[in-house]
Amino acid sequence: MVFIYFDYVSKLWAIENLFIKYQSIQLTSFLSMTPVWNSGISFGMFDQSGEFGRLIFTFIGLGFGMSIPIFASNWNNLERIGAGFISGGALGNAIDRIIHGKVIDFIDFHSYGIHFPTFNFADTF
C-alpha cells in the first residue's frame, strides 16, 4: 500500500508541475523530469493497441497486483517485501490506466544524446 501511495503522489506532482503547463525540469546533466503519456506497456511497446490494449493491460496489472501478495503470504520477509514492490508497481500503473486511460511517465535518464525510456516510480517497483 505504501508503494501505491508513493507512486500516486509522485504522479500527482508530475501532473501539476509537468503536464498542465507542458515543461521538462532538468535536475542534473543526465536526469530530467519530462512528461510522457504511455498508452502501451514497458518502453511504450503496444502503444497503438487502443482501447482493447488499455483494458487488457489494466486487467493484467490488476490481476498480478492483487494475486502476488496471496502467493507471497508464506514467503520469507525479504521475499514478501519484494512482492510488495512488484504488486505496488503493477497496481500503480493499472490505477493510471483506469483514471487517465494511459500511464503517467516522467523520469527521464539521458546521457550523450541517448535517452533511456521515460518511466515512473511504479516501473521501478
Side-chain angles (χ1 to χ4, degrees):
M1 195 64 151
V2 171
F3 306 123
I4 297 169
Y5 179 76
F6 182 76
D7 178 62
Y8 185 75
V9 168
S10 71
K11 290 173 180 174
L12 286 177
W13 175 88
I15 287 172
E16 291 178 14
N17 294 283
L18 303 173
F19 284 84
I20 292 175
K21 179 184 172 190
Y22 185 86
Q23 66 177 339
S24 181
I25 300 172
Q26 190 74 33
L27 299 176
T28 69
S29 62
F30 60 87
L31 174 63
S32 61
M33 300 291 117
T34 303
V36 174
W37 288 109
N38 183 358
S39 58
I41 57 172
S42 303
F43 310 119
M45 293 186 302
F46 309 115
D47 64 343
Q48 301 298 316
S49 59
E51 185 66 17
F52 178 74
R54 183 184 74 84
L55 290 173
I56 294 297
F57 302 145
T58 301
F59 284 120
I60 289 171
L62 289 172
F64 276 110
M66 291 187 296
S67 64
I68 288 172
I70 295 168
F71 289 108
S73 62
N74 61 350
W75 296 354
N76 70 46
N77 287 340
L78 190 57
E79 291 169 333
R80 282 199 310 269
I81 291 169
F85 273 105
I86 295 167
S87 176
L91 291 171
N93 283 340
I95 290 167
D96 274 3
R97 287 190 175 91
I98 292 167
I99 294 172
H100 305 288
K102 47 194 145 202
V103 175
I104 298 168
D105 287 336
F106 59 94
I107 303 169
D108 182 26
F109 280 103
H110 47 84
S111 182
Y112 299 103
I114 300 170
H115 281 259
F116 186 79
T118 307
F119 59 100
N120 59 48
F121 285 108
D123 297 335
T124 66
F125 298 155

